[in-house]
Amino acid sequence: METIVKGMEGVEQAAEIIKNGGLVAFPTETVYGLGGNALDPEASRKIYAAKGRPSDNPLIVHVSSISEVHPLVSVLPEAAEKLMEAFWPGPLTIILPKSEIVPYETTGGLETVAIRCPENKVTLSFIKTSGLPIAGPSANTSGKPSPTEATHVLHDLNGKIDMILDDGPVGIGVESTIVDMSGTVPTLLRPGAITVEDLSETLGRKVEIDPAIVAGGVNEGVRPKAPGMKYRHYAPNAKMALVSTKLLKAKDYEVSEEERLQADRQVSDFINELVEKDEAAGLRTGIICCEETKELYRKVRDNASDIKVIGHRDQPLSMTHELFRVLREFDDDNVDRIYAESYSDRGVGFALMNRMRKAAGMTEFLADE
Ligand code: AMP
Ligand code: MG
């Protein structure tokens, strides 16, 4: 059983644990991280073991200021520094060529290192006090939804780590944006609260998007697209599917009021029908929808199905905040099937939909086919 300490009071003890090679879960503005000394191969090995994470999946190194980046990288391009100045502390992770002091255990064998300065007072103080860069992936069991509260960390990692620094529920709820600045072309590797448009604007040049994260999911006429288990990530125990319409996709969710109403009706009818079938087969189902559509869904049997609202659909950032929590609630309720509405990929919507697609293993149905 690890120690859980709230707020600043835990900082000294947490720093001491890190210096002695132990593991501390820490709050950030995105999700809770699982921290160890980034320069200690043994600490990184312990992180992988606690998470059950494949050791070729690299960790993010957390610093408390830009000056702490210099010893960790072999070059620091001006453009990368520009991003740090613009967005740190904040939800942006920057990939750079690593220096010799960063062990391959931390970078998953790569020549590059991922670095970020999180915006959380307790954690910034914890990093500074430890005097070390802190390697920290999300503090969840590998493949599970990321932890947005200390209780989620405890649920996944109880007994496997030394301490949890608890600073209440996180602010953003979706992992940091990752941008690769180690090559000649800035490339977005993971969408987050800082959008590709934000990055392009600051750099004064186009930031490319890694093909692996481009909105995949549905090819016309294929329903559902290959479930793609290897893409399943951030995943609840239940089988999850997204539901959209051909029209919404074709118009990139920019539709008239009338088209919107029709699409809402089609999506909700489609989901209600699936739920009814599942419930008849004795399965427990869950629905993820938004404030604007919640009235369109019905409970089949009390207690058997559940409808969870994750926010207003024109506010994707606050929806990301609810998503992981809701997925965990469905797990706690032993739900077998989850059906979720799809939303626009615009702006922060890209981060939300990226996580939803991964949670659904890329399964998306079109209600108007
Ligand atoms: P997590 O903190 O659990 O979201 O995991 C860290 C994320 O950062 C993973 O998706 C890694 O693949 C990514 N990452 C860390 N280091 C690198 C790197 N050097 N190059 C590319 N991706 C990285
Ligand atoms: Mg993670």
Side-chain angles (χ1 to χ4, degrees):
M1 180 63 197
E2 39 290 289
T3 327
I4 304 177
V5 184
K6 271 218 175 246
M8 287 298 204
E9 275 164 36
V11 164
E12 290 287 339
Q13 189 188 346
E16 224 26 63
I17 291 173
I18 293 295
K19 285 192 266 188
N20 291 322
L23 301 187
V24 175
F26 60 94
T28 78
E29 77 282 36
T30 58
V31 302
Y32 273 78
L34 171 56
N37 175 0
L39 305 181
D40 174 5
E42 196 46 48
S44 291
R45 271 194 286 267
K46 279 195 210 165
I47 292 175
Y48 287 114
K51 269 182 76 81
R53 176 175 181 140
S55 60
D56 59 352
N57 194 353
L59 311 175
I60 292 174
V61 177
H62 294 73
V63 295
S64 67
S65 70
I66 297 179
S67 61
E68 291 162 30
V69 172
H70 296 278
L72 303 175
V73 299
S74 60
V75 273
L76 182 50
E78 215 176 294
E81 218 165 342
K82 223 177 189 175
L83 292 179
M84 292 170 189
E85 272 156 17
F87 298 107
W88 281 7
L92 179 67
T93 296
I94 300 174
I95 309 285
L96 291 166
K98 81 173 194 71
S99 70
E100 279 189 358
I101 65 166
V102 182
Y104 288 112
E105 282 78 1
T106 297
T107 68
L110 297 176
E111 293 298 338
T112 52
V113 57
I115 308 178
R116 146 169 147 83
C117 177
E119 188 171 18
N120 178 285
K121 267 203 331 236
V122 175
T123 287
L124 286 174
S125 166
F126 153 59
I127 299 170
K128 212 175 249 345
T129 308
S130 74
L132 289 164
I134 308 282
S138 50
N140 53 325
T141 298
S142 188
K144 290 280 113 194
S146 290
T148 54
E149 296 171 23
T151 50
H152 299 163
V153 179
L154 194 62
H155 177 276
D156 281 14
L157 301 177
N158 196 0
K160 297 180 178 166
I161 59 180
D162 301 298
M163 180 178 177
I164 300 174
L165 257 182
D166 181 357
D167 195 32
V170 300
I172 294 178
V174 69
E175 304 88 342
S176 58
T177 302
I178 301 182
V179 63
D180 185 354
M181 299 298 289
S182 67
T184 48
V185 186
T187 308
L188 184 81
L189 302 187
R190 178 170 75 186
I194 292 170
T195 65
V196 72
E197 293 83 6
D198 297 333
L199 298 174
S200 299
E201 197 177 307
T202 300
L203 292 176
R205 64 171 292 182
K206 191 166 184 275
V207 171
E208 297 298 325
I209 299 178
D210 184 58
I213 55 169
V214 173
V218 178
N219 286 332
E220 290 323 359
V222 186
R223 357 179 284 156
K225 208 193 169 213
M229 284 305 285
K230 71 177 165 171
Y231 297 117
R232 217 167 123 88
H233 192 33
Y234 307 105
N237 293 329
K239 231 165 117 175
M240 175 163 156
L242 307 182
V243 181
S244 185
T245 72
K246 248 182 6 194
L247 182 86
L248 285 174
K249 294 215 150 248
K251 297 204 166 180
D252 208 8
Y253 291 77
E254 291 278 281
V255 291
S256 68
E257 191 58 25
E258 202 176 316
E259 289 168 327
R260 167 67 70 188
L261 286 173
Q262 190 198 12
D264 286 347
R265 179 72 56 193
Q266 286 169 326
V267 167
S268 57
D269 282 351
F270 191 89
I271 289 179
N272 283 330
E273 217 170 284
L274 288 170
V275 165
E276 209 158 312
K277 264 192 221 148
D278 287 344
E279 298 282 341
L283 296 170
R284 221 175 147 81
T285 62
I287 295 171
I288 297 178
C289 63
C290 58
E291 287 291 349
E292 290 81 359
T293 58
K294 64 181 179 195
E295 305 298 339
L296 297 172
Y297 295 95
R298 54 172 187 264
K299 282 195 182 206
V300 176
R301 274 177 287 136
D302 266 354
N303 238 346
S305 62
D306 204 356
I307 299 161
K308 292 195 194 282
V309 176
I310 56 171
H312 292 277
R313 62 184 160 199
D314 59 348
Q315 292 167 18
L317 189 56
S318 66
M319 291 176 108
T320 60
H321 188 262
E322 294 304 292
L323 177 68
F324 290 137
R325 188 176 58 77
V326 158
L327 293 177
R328 281 179 179 269
E329 281 174 9
F330 279 136
D331 272 358
D332 292 342
D333 291 348
N334 295 314
V335 161
D336 303 295
R337 295 278 163 84
I338 299 170
Y339 300 107
E341 297 175 339
S342 292
Y343 305 105
S344 164
D345 271 304
R346 232 171 283 276
V348 183
F350 190 35
L352 172 70
M353 288 311 300
N354 173 262
R355 304 315 192 276
M356 286 184 61
R357 286 190 191 98
K358 287 195 170 195
M362 296 296 179
T363 303
E364 187 168 30
F365 297 110
L366 296 178
D368 56 350
E369 274 197 335

